[in-house]
């Protein structure tokens, strides 16, 4: 129920701001707006906490913290993510993972504390996390965070990386199988008859992006299909594509030997590439097939509907909570990387190469 989620938001707010007995909460209307729930829902959550003696209200003045509940929940799970809580919730990637984390925490009666990143330096990680929760989920960490993660691991702090994984590191993680997902893309294009294929990738400092490049190129090599430098674009602006990079993609599709298919290793990359191709007078998929990675709700409603790879983002969040909880309880150690399978979603942005 929404009022239970609103209560969790209130508990997070009290902990994040370090509010103690006698401290006043923001006005109910502001809380409703911040947590994106109705004022009626927020009022119900507050009334429940008042009945339990956690909050008290003074007519004409406001709502105050009465005491901290030490028995209602098993403990606190901290989730470190880039951006504010509202930004994470609205992000299609992070929001799906967070939804899974919230559902699993609610089901297992743990409180969830959102901690705004990035946390790169080891001293910064130690200072920001120490004593704030019983264990931590660290979402979409870049390579720059590895020194701090190694330090947490050495210190015996229970934590899991979610959405980033490093096979050569002793960092426990739950991730999607990016390598296999990209292999599925290559195998699909090859099965359609494509032999001249381009790749647009991003964020080389993120493990999931590198895994996609690795899986895709390995599958091409196994089929005897080269990927020369002129057909490989590494974007310089995160998960977006600059106009110059779009021009390069169009040039790949117009200059002999023309590419007949492009794999864009991210959803935004794919939509930008399709727009650039169509603006240049090329048809998708009649002239050039395009495949993406990530299956946003809008993917099925693009022109054309987008062939892509779906990640089990919500399941990743749920599984991470289950593993972290088991470790905190001493039931099972946190070791190794668990990869959840991706799903290839065939729509109308891919077709056999044009006949010449």
């Amino acid at each position: 129920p929404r009022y239970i989620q609103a209560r969790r938001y209130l508990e997070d707010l009290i902990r994040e701001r370090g509010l103690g007995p006698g401290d006043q909460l923001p006005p109910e209307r502001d809380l409703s707006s911040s947590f994106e729930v109705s004022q009626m829902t927020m009022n119900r959550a507050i009334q429940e906490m008042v009945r339990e003696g956690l909050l008290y209200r003074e007519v004409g003045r406001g709502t105050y913290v009465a005491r901290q509940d030490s028995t209602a929940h098993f403990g606190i799970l901290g989730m470190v993510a880039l951006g504010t809580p509202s930004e994470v919730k609205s992000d299609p990637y992070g929001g799906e993972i967070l939804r899974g984390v919230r559902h699993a925490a609610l089901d297992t009666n743990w409180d969830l504390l959102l901690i705004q990143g990035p946390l790169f330096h080891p001293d910064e990680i130690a200072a920001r996390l120490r004593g704030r929760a019983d264990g931590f989920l660290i979402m979409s960490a870049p390579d720059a965070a590895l020194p701090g993660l190694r330090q947490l691991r050495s210190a015996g702090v229970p934590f899991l990386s979610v959405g980033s994984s490093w096979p050569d590191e002793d960092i426990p993680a739950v991730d999607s199988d990016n390598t296999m997902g990209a292999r599925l893309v290559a195998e699909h294009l090859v099965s359609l008859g494509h032999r001249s294929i381009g790749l647009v990738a991003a964020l080389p400092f993120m493990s999931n992006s590198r895994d996609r490049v690795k899986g895709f190129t390995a599958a091409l090599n196994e089929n005897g299909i080269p990927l020369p430098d002129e057909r490989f674009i590494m974007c310089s602006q995160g998960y977006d594509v600059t106009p110059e990079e779009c021009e390069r993609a169009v040039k790949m599709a117009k200059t002999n030997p023309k590419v007949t298919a492009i794999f864009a290793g991210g959803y935004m990359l794919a939509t930008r590439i399709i727009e650039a191709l169509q603006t240049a007078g090329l048809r998708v998929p009649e002239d050039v097939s395009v495949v993406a990675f990530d299956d946003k709700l809008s993917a099925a409603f693009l022109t054309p509907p987008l062939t892509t790879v779906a990640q089990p983002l919500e399941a990743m969040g749920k599984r991470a909570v289950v593993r972290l909880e088991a470790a905190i309880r001493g039931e099972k150690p946190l070791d190794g990387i668990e990869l959840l399978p991706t799903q290839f979603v065939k729509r109308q942005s891919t077709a056999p190469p044009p006949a010449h």
Side-chain angles (χ1 to χ4, degrees):
R2 293 287 286 168
Y3 81 92
I4 294 179
Q5 294 179 1
R7 173 182 172 142
R8 294 286 187 268
Y9 297 153
L10 286 173
E11 292 169 345
D12 287 349
L13 176 73
I14 291 169
R15 290 191 179 88
E16 287 175 357
R17 297 191 180 182
L19 301 180
D23 289 333
Q24 186 174 12
L25 295 183
E28 195 173 291
R29 180 179 301 173
D30 293 350
L31 291 171
S32 303
S33 176
S34 297
F35 298 134
E36 300 176 359
V37 297
S38 69
Q39 196 163 340
M40 182 180 299
T41 298
M42 182 57 66
N43 179 265
R44 183 176 177 183
I46 290 174
Q47 292 294 355
E48 182 179 276
M49 294 179 72
V50 168
R51 285 195 299 270
E52 294 180 15
L54 303 176
L55 302 175
Y56 65 93
R57 313 191 83 166
E58 293 187 3
V59 177
R61 295 189 60 190
T63 304
Y64 299 83
V65 177
R67 62 177 174 82
Q68 296 297 314
D69 184 6
S70 60
T71 60
H73 303 289
F74 290 122
I76 303 172
L77 302 180
M79 184 170 179
V80 182
L82 297 175
T84 64
S86 61
E87 289 170 340
V88 174
K89 284 188 290 183
S90 62
D91 174 65
Y93 181 89
E96 286 292 309
I97 293 177
L98 177 59
R99 183 178 295 109
V101 169
R102 283 195 180 279
H103 287 171
L106 187 63
D107 290 343
T108 54
N109 217 26
W110 284 74
D111 285 329
L112 181 64
L113 172 65
L114 293 179
I115 303 171
Q116 183 175 352
L119 302 177
F120 294 162
H121 193 276
D123 293 339
E124 182 182 21
I125 288 181
R128 292 281 298 280
L129 301 190
R130 185 180 293 115
R132 298 190 70 181
D134 298 281
F136 300 92
L137 302 175
I138 300 179
M139 187 170 70
S140 301
D143 293 344
L146 275 172
L149 299 182
R150 294 187 192 111
Q151 186 182 71
L152 287 180
R153 186 71 166 156
S154 298
V157 175
F159 79 93
L160 266 172
S161 172
V162 186
S164 296
S165 55
W166 302 268
D168 297 330
E169 296 280 345
D170 181 28
I171 304 295
V174 173
D175 204 353
S176 68
D177 196 341
N178 289 277
T179 302
M180 180 54 69
R183 289 184 69 94
L184 294 175
V185 173
E187 291 166 3
H188 169 70
L189 294 176
V190 171
S191 72
L192 290 174
H194 293 279
R195 296 296 181 269
S196 182
I197 301 172
L199 171 62
V200 180
L203 303 180
F205 51 84
M206 296 294 294
S207 65
N208 53 13
S209 180
R210 289 197 304 273
D211 287 344
R212 293 170 198 174
V213 172
K214 174 184 174 183
F216 186 71
T217 55
L220 291 185
N221 288 333
E222 290 168 10
N223 285 277
I225 299 174
L227 184 69
D229 290 344
E230 59 268 21
R231 296 183 194 167
F232 182 14
I233 300 173
M234 179 59 75
C235 296
S236 58
Q237 300 294 323
Y239 270 123
D240 206 348
V241 193
T242 66
E244 294 75 19
E245 290 159 350
C246 285
E247 288 179 12
R248 284 185 60 195
V250 170
K251 185 178 179 180
M252 286 195 302
K254 283 192 165 185
T255 305
N256 287 323
K258 300 176 182 178
V259 299
T260 59
I262 296 174
F263 171 39
Y267 184 85
M268 183 64 72
L269 302 183
T271 59
R272 295 279 195 248
I273 294 300
I274 289 175
E275 181 182 11
L277 292 171
Q278 292 173 334
T279 300
L282 293 166
R283 300 167 301 165
V284 178
E286 292 86 354
D287 298 317
V288 187
S289 289
V290 178
V291 188
F293 209 99
D294 282 332
D295 189 28
K296 294 186 181 180
L297 290 175
S298 57
F301 304 100
L302 297 178
T303 303
L306 189 60
T307 296
T308 190
V309 176
Q311 297 191 77
L313 301 176
E314 186 170 340
M316 286 163 54
K318 291 180 178 178
R319 180 59 185 157
V321 171
V322 170
R323 286 188 62 187
L324 184 58
E325 180 194 16
I328 293 171
R329 293 178 180 277
E331 298 169 359
K332 191 174 183 180
L334 280 172
D335 290 308
I337 297 170
E338 183 174 355
L339 298 179
L340 302 189
T342 55
Q343 179 183 4
F344 187 79
V345 182
K346 172 70 172 74
R347 295 196 182 98
Q348 284 76 56
S349 66
T350 53
H356 295 291

